[in-house]
Amino acid sequence: MSEEWATLRELLLPAATATRRGRHGRGVEAALRTAIRGGQLTPGTRLPSSRDLARQLGVARGTVTAAYGQLTAEGYLATRRGSGTSVAAGLSSGTAAAHRPAEEDPRWRFDLRPGRPALGAFPRAEWVAATRAALARLPDEALGYPDPAGLPELRTELAGYLGRVRAVTAEPDDIVITNGATEALSLLSAVLAGQGRADVAMEEPGHQGQTELLRGLGLRPHAVPADSGGIRVDALAATPCRAVVVTAAHQFPLGVALHPDRRHALLAWARERDALVIEDDYDAEHRYDRPALRAMQAMDPDRVAYVGSLSKTLAPALRLGWLVAPRALRAGLVARKRWTDLGCSPLPQAAFAGMLRSGGYDRHLRRSRLLYRRRRDALLAALAEHLPDWQPIGIAAGLHVLLRLPDGVDDCAVHQRLAAHGILAPALSRYVRAGTGGPYPGLVLGYAALPIDRLHAAVAEIAAALR
């Protein structure tokens, strides 16, 4: 009978294992060096003790000790008393550059991209407490493969919350929990494609990432113009589409609310075409001078699929969203969710359910609204001082403001000039199809992620760069 396998810190080195019946002293050293150079062992990775690795490889402990000593002398490894041996920091590998996040190059002095919440305001203590409480109350069975529709506890809390703050009409069974709003749109796209509804209307200007997502999933996105009243339903009616994605509460990036007359016209179009309205309610929680209009889903639950997430309220990293779809679509959506990823992790769902139940989420939103209102006011005050010809467009809501530049200004040229000074300020023309140009020159500036002093400094730097 073979000896029982047990190790404290496993390390797979096939090249060293293959040489253990021959002269393997140099084999262990070479295998470690190759693993470090090739990126298998990254800087900071802690290695097994010499005794443990010798047992794993079936070699003498002295062989591993000698290899560790040689590689330490060459600068590949570092040894510190009490911390063992690890791969030295500062080493580069063939894979390191490929995995560097794009945001690191260049490092913007002022990053004014829209849609980013204040990550420093994430309620860490409340989330930790909610997670601990969730772990304490979840039964062991809940740690198995989850319900693909989502944790029943969270769907129950969400049904109550969405009904209270957005007037959404939904029972817990009508809700599907998703890995963010993007997955909700992906699930809906798959169901639409299966029904032969491949033509989908998208607002223009709008979220080009969503347009690319639909195109990548085999659908045919059609650009429909939006103006100061939101999406133009008359232009929508001229397309062959039987589905449309709208940001009715706060059009992105124009920052306007869909006019009440167009809300009714859009639902009339959906009933006439037997079409689906996908309502992306991406930042409806953030209103600074007026109450929010009710969700369109409340006006016709059989024609509207409602999509929301925590990406703009808590943090994108949580990857937690929800989809309230017409009941005729629910079975297909849940089946697609099961095939795709077997369901979302129950632990963050349970933690969020606890925050909803305790009122912690409402308290966080109240704090966030006050914070973002102050930052928005600070940005607008700085713009009025330094760039009075730049006109804010849209309602006081969300995490960004659209600035209309003077007529005749090339917003792409402004964006590029600011980028040369380390300022990321997206042009409005970025949110339309390539080569078509925006409705007017503008910049789409996010303010939620920057403190007030940084916003003042950013505007002063913008003004100086454009002189």
Side-chain angles (χ1 to χ4, degrees):
M1 181 178 294
S2 62
E3 182 182 357
E4 181 181 356
W5 172 260
T7 182
L8 179 63
R9 184 177 293 272
E10 187 172 0
L11 174 59
L12 183 63
L13 289 174
T17 303
T19 65
R20 64 186 176 188
R21 287 190 174 88
R23 295 175 58 86
H24 44 247
R26 292 290 185 183
V28 174
E29 176 189 318
L32 285 167
R33 186 183 293 107
T34 299
I36 294 170
R37 286 177 173 173
Q40 175 190 344
L41 298 177
T42 57
T45 300
R46 186 175 176 184
L47 302 183
S49 67
S50 58
R51 186 188 304 275
D52 190 6
L53 184 57
R55 185 173 182 276
Q56 294 181 48
L57 299 178
V59 301
R61 182 184 180 187
T63 299
V64 176
T65 302
Y68 278 4
Q70 179 62 30
L71 293 174
T72 299
E74 294 177 11
Y76 287 100
L77 300 180
T79 302
R80 189 168 57 184
R81 186 181 298 275
S83 299
T85 303
S86 59
V87 179
L91 293 176
S92 62
S93 70
T95 60
H99 293 287
R100 185 178 298 117
E103 291 77 12
E104 292 183 10
D105 187 20
R107 291 185 180 275
W108 302 101
R109 292 191 298 129
F110 298 100
D111 188 344
L112 296 168
R113 284 175 297 170
R116 298 188 306 144
L119 300 180
F122 181 80
R124 293 173 183 259
E126 288 182 75
W127 187 259
V128 168
T131 300
R132 286 176 174 166
L135 273 172
R137 71 174 180 270
L138 282 175
D140 293 343
E141 293 75 15
L143 301 180
Y145 288 108
D147 182 340
L151 192 70
E153 174 189 2
L154 175 57
R155 289 188 280 123
T156 297
E157 294 296 336
L158 265 177
Y161 171 78
L162 294 174
R164 172 167 58 88
V165 303
R166 300 295 294 124
V168 168
T169 302
E171 299 294 328
D173 285 346
D174 298 325
I175 299 175
V176 178
I177 305 300
T178 63
N179 288 302
T182 298
E183 189 191 28
L185 186 56
S186 296
L187 294 172
L188 286 166
S189 297
V191 170
L192 289 173
Q195 296 176 343
R197 292 196 272 183
D199 295 288
V200 181
M202 307 291 293
E203 298 168 323
E204 186 172 74
H207 194 313
Q208 293 303 297
Q210 290 184 341
T211 298
E212 292 304 315
L213 172 66
L214 265 61
R215 186 174 289 115
L217 293 172
L219 292 127
R220 296 184 293 270
H222 295 251
V224 176
D227 56 24
S228 60
I231 192 169
R232 285 181 44 196
V233 183
D234 60 331
L236 171 63
T239 72
C241 299
R242 290 181 55 211
V244 59
V245 181
V246 296
T247 49
H250 188 222
Q251 202 279 337
F252 183 83
L254 296 181
V256 299
L258 185 60
H259 192 279
D261 291 344
R262 292 193 185 178
R263 284 176 164 240
H264 290 286
L266 182 57
L267 292 175
W269 167 85
R271 287 189 286 268
E272 179 182 341
R273 287 279 183 95
D274 188 24
L276 178 68
V277 176
I278 302 173
E279 181 178 14
D280 182 0
D281 210 30
Y282 70 103
D283 70 354
E285 293 88 350
H286 299 116
R287 290 291 181 277
Y288 309 126
D289 64 356
R290 71 193 73 191
L293 296 173
R294 64 176 175 168
M296 287 193 64
Q297 189 271 354
M299 302 169 67
D300 195 339
D302 293 329
R303 295 291 176 189
V304 181
Y306 176 88
V307 175
S309 81
L310 297 182
S311 294
K312 304 297 185 289
T313 55
L314 282 174
L318 293 176
R319 308 311 307 138
L320 199 58
W322 47 87
L323 167 59
V324 183
R327 291 181 180 176
L329 301 181
R330 185 182 183 278
L333 291 167
V334 174
R336 175 65 60 172
K337 175 67 175 171
R338 181 185 294 110
W339 300 335
T340 302
D341 62 9
L342 298 178
C344 299
S345 172
L347 186 52
Q349 292 186 66
F352 181 48
M355 286 190 69
L356 286 171
R357 185 167 48 250
S358 69
Y361 187 58
D362 287 286
R363 291 190 294 271
H364 169 72
L365 289 177
R366 185 164 56 249
R367 293 191 299 266
S368 296
R369 289 190 192 104
L370 292 174
L371 174 67
Y372 297 155
R373 173 62 186 266
R374 289 195 294 268
R375 292 184 176 182
R376 184 178 190 275
D377 290 347
L379 175 64
L380 295 182
L383 288 165
E385 176 184 352
H386 294 283
L387 296 160
D389 292 337
W390 291 17
Q391 178 188 358
I393 301 294
I395 61 178
L399 307 181
H400 75 276
V401 62
L402 170 61
L403 299 172
R404 180 167 182 169
L405 307 184
D407 291 340
V409 172
D410 184 343
D411 58 5
C412 281
V414 172
H415 162 77
Q416 292 169 1
R417 188 168 178 179
L418 295 178
H421 288 77
I423 304 168
L424 180 54
L428 176 60
S429 55
R430 172 186 175 185
Y431 299 96
V432 300
R433 291 164 294 167
T436 59
Y440 44 76
L443 294 180
V444 185
L445 302 187
Y447 51 78
L450 292 181
I452 287 176
D453 60 336
R454 294 284 292 164
L455 289 168
H456 281 292
V459 174
E461 290 280 348
I462 290 173
L466 296 178
R467 286 196 186 105

